[in-house]
Amino acid sequence: MKSYLFALDLPELTEILTSWGEPGYRAAQIWQGLYQNLWDSPEAFTTLSKGLRGRLAEAFEFSHLQPVADRTSSDGETRKILFHLPDGQPIETVRMRYQKRRTLCISTQSGCAMGCLFCATGQMGFRRDLSSGEIVEQVIYFARRLKDQGERVTNIVIMGMGEPLHNYAAAMQAIRRLNHPEGMNLGARRFTLSTVGLPPRIRQLAREDMQINLAISLHAADDELREKIIPINRKYPIAEIMGAVREYARASKRRVTFEWALINQINDTPEQAAKLADLLGGMLAHVNLIPLNPTRGYARKASTRERAERFQEILQKRGVPCTIRLRRGIDIQAGCGQLASEQNGM
Ligand code: SAH
Ligand code: SF4
């Protein structure tokens, strides 16, 4: 059976190459070809002998991702690709250009088991976990496209399909591989991991000693409302999440982001804003207000501009930094899970 190249760490690749009687440094050469030169097939590895290239072709799979839909927004700033994995399951990856940033939004699962009502991925249900290689290859794929235009990936947000802390080991392996100085060499601070809030895993992340940015998808400031839109809140109530987040903030010394999809007449009330300000008191935090992206499985609408601004004003008066985000790529279904569910006819 072939092994998938992007799923291997450098020591694992070194072990395989040494078992073939190759010197140890060959693995580093291949690694450099993959992550720095972004070569996409064994033939491209002109730094290696022809014999060794043939051996690579026999032993390794170079790709798991098959692009099946590719859309660029009308302003050209957002591009989204729907990929199929070898077993046909869908995932999505988005590239956003914003000033000097080239940010990729990557998936960690096909579908999601958390079932948040307003989320297109949640509405699909859970298909399967991605391997670390399938997470890494999304970055490689877009890094190649950017390289063709003389650009490079500057930031990674783990906010695509799936709940990254529900596929913890693979997500962490992927981040470490992309962060590796001999790999992509992307600094830890360039990563943002977004989670629905799984306290045991947030605490584990705090112990990893990596300064990645954490974003918490809060969306409601009391358990009664949060349970209604985020079912996993019954297992992990807000107080537990906040305890774990404070631990992460202390360990990483990073400002934590709280995400809030503004749903008209549901979570955009002055009462919710005041409760949110109470929750975040004394914490190095930032709130991202994102007008709800409508999905087929959830009838509610985005908050009106007036209600969004009122919500923001209450937070700002209480000293909580807070931004209303523009919806990017709305014309290409760039919201989480939306392209895949459209293709499924959901
Ligand atoms: N599972 C993780 C990461 C993927 S979702 C998480 O929940 O954080 C990425 C972000 O998109 C989350 O903040 C999620 O709540 C938000 N989101 C999902 N569906 C949305 C929608 N229809 N409109 C606006 N934001 C949405
Ligand atoms: Fe899963 Fe995040 Fe969507 Fe909730 S919002 S269903 S956790 S992907």
Side-chain angles (χ1 to χ4, degrees):
M1 219 182 76
K2 290 190 178 190
S3 13
Y4 177 32
L5 258 182
F6 290 113
L8 299 175
D9 289 323
L10 191 51
E12 291 168 336
L13 186 61
T14 309
E15 199 175 308
I16 297 175
L17 271 292
T18 8
S19 79
W20 294 356
E22 291 290 334
Y25 63 82
R26 286 273 184 261
Q29 266 182 325
I30 295 171
W31 200 257
Q32 193 179 20
L34 287 174
Y35 290 100
Q36 288 168 20
N37 306 333
L38 301 169
W39 288 336
D40 62 359
S41 67
E43 302 82 63
F45 285 71
T46 44
T47 45
L48 306 175
S49 70
K50 207 166 168 224
L52 188 53
R53 274 180 265 162
R55 192 120 197 225
L56 291 185
E58 278 165 30
F60 297 117
E61 287 168 351
F62 277 69
S63 172
H64 270 193
L65 304 186
Q66 179 73 38
V68 293
D70 183 340
R71 290 194 197 169
T72 302
S73 61
S74 41
D75 62 6
E77 301 300 78
T78 307
R79 179 177 180 187
K80 172 166 188 161
I81 299 189
L82 170 68
F83 294 104
H84 277 178
L85 301 171
D87 56 0
Q89 296 294 1
I91 59 159
E92 299 171 350
T93 312
V94 182
R95 183 223 64 207
M96 291 159 285
R97 275 206 182 90
Y98 183 65
Q99 295 171 349
K100 285 190 175 157
R101 289 190 178 199
R102 302 292 174 265
T103 303
L104 301 184
C105 175
I106 61 172
S107 297
T108 53
Q109 297 177 318
S110 176
C112 183
M114 301 296 126
C116 305
L117 268 59
F118 51 83
C119 171
T121 307
Q123 292 159 19
M124 284 172 61
F126 179 68
R127 306 295 180 77
R128 75 161 166 90
D129 280 331
L130 301 196
S131 68
S132 64
E134 289 162 344
I135 301 170
V136 167
E137 197 191 331
Q138 297 169 61
V139 176
I140 299 294
Y141 188 94
F142 274 95
R144 287 179 187 142
R145 307 286 96 74
L146 284 168
K147 193 182 181 188
D148 294 342
Q149 298 165 307
E151 297 181 327
R152 35 178 49 234
V153 177
T154 64
N155 297 79
I156 309 268
V157 295
I158 306 164
M159 287 191 189
M161 273 191 178
E163 169 45 51
L165 298 187
H166 190 221
N167 186 14
Y168 188 90
M172 286 315 295
Q173 281 162 8
I175 294 170
R176 289 193 185 280
R177 211 166 296 145
L178 293 164
N179 173 239
H180 197 289
E182 290 179 65
M184 287 285 280
N185 197 18
L186 278 163
R189 292 171 178 216
R190 293 175 179 271
F191 291 82
T192 300
L193 184 146
S194 175
T195 174
V196 70
L198 308 180
R201 298 284 86 80
I202 293 172
R203 293 206 173 84
Q204 192 174 347
L205 194 63
R207 294 191 296 269
E208 298 274 357
D209 199 24
M210 271 194 107
Q211 284 196 309
I212 63 174
N213 302 296
L214 185 65
I216 303 291
S217 299
L218 200 61
H219 306 308
D222 61 63
D223 289 321
E224 195 191 338
L225 176 60
R226 199 166 187 268
E227 276 175 14
K228 284 190 188 145
I229 52 176
I230 301 178
I232 191 75
N233 194 77
R234 280 178 221 125
K235 186 165 175 193
Y236 296 122
I238 293 171
E240 256 189 67
I241 298 174
M242 293 306 295
V245 169
R246 283 175 198 278
E247 205 174 306
Y248 187 81
R250 268 197 304 277
S252 69
K253 301 185 179 66
R254 303 297 285 165
R255 184 181 76 170
V256 176
T257 300
F258 290 84
E259 289 160 282
W260 196 281
L262 283 164
I263 312 171
N264 202 34
Q265 310 282 348
I266 299 284
N267 65 354
D268 62 354
T269 59
E271 189 202 3
Q272 282 293 314
K275 282 187 179 172
L276 176 58
D278 291 343
L279 274 180
L280 303 185
M283 194 179 176
L284 197 56
H286 183 98
V287 176
N288 272 342
L289 300 172
I290 313 130
L292 179 79
N293 220 337
T295 54
R296 279 175 223 194
Y298 187 66
R300 300 282 173 175
K301 293 195 170 67
S303 301
T304 59
R305 198 192 170 102
E306 295 70 46
R307 290 180 72 88
E309 281 169 2
R310 174 105 197 274
F311 196 95
Q312 180 185 33
E313 210 178 280
I314 296 169
L315 286 171
Q316 284 175 339
K317 277 201 180 128
R318 295 274 307 267
V320 179
C322 175
T323 322
I324 302 179
R325 295 278 165 198
L326 296 172
R327 284 184 282 172
R328 290 184 194 289
I330 195 107
D331 59 334
I332 56 164
Q333 307 293 320
C336 169
Q338 290 191 318
L339 191 53
S341 55
E342 180 189 287
Q343 297 263 324
N344 279 339
M346 272 173 64

